[in-house]
Amino acid sequence: MNDEIGRFGIVVFRGDLAPSYWPHLQRIAKDKKGLVLLMNDKDLKVFIRQARAGKVKDAHIQDRYDQTLRKIA
């Protein structure tokens, strides 16, 4: 994460979020002045389902963003 490539990243993984992930994201936000948004395979399935239905909405990704900010604050 830097000024050239940006200070925002998305990491997609399988499984559930472990509580130990949040301190790492807090450190990135503080030290790198950036944000990493974590999503799992269930989130991707939601996006695919929305796209197939032709009803793409920002609400799901906004929820993930809000959740991340609450957890690292």
Side-chain angles (χ1 to χ4, degrees), residues 12 38-48 60 64:
V12 181
L38 298 177
M39 290 190 224
N40 61 18
D41 52 344
K42 293 176 188 175
D43 296 318
L44 294 181
K45 289 177 185 177
V46 169
F47 298 138
I48 291 169
H60 188 76
R64 291 292 168 250

Side-chain angles (χ1 to χ4, degrees), residues 29-57:
K30 182 180 177 186
D31 297 347
K32 301 286 187 184
K33 296 180 179 74
L35 180 71
V36 174
L37 191 60
L38 298 177
M39 290 190 224
N40 61 18
D41 52 344
K42 293 176 188 175
D43 296 318
L44 294 181
K45 289 177 185 177
V46 169
F47 298 138
I48 291 169
R49 189 172 56 248
Q50 288 178 347
R52 284 184 174 170
K55 298 181 180 180
V56 178
K57 299 178 183 175

Side-chain angles (χ1 to χ4, degrees), residues 1-29:
M1 299 182 111
N2 58 40
D3 291 334
E4 287 80 32
I5 62 172
R7 299 197 179 273
F8 178 75
I10 297 174
V11 175
V12 181
F13 58 95
R14 290 187 174 158
D16 296 322
L17 282 170
S20 61
Y21 294 169
W22 300 116
H24 296 296
L25 297 181
Q26 285 175 323
R27 192 173 59 249
I28 291 169

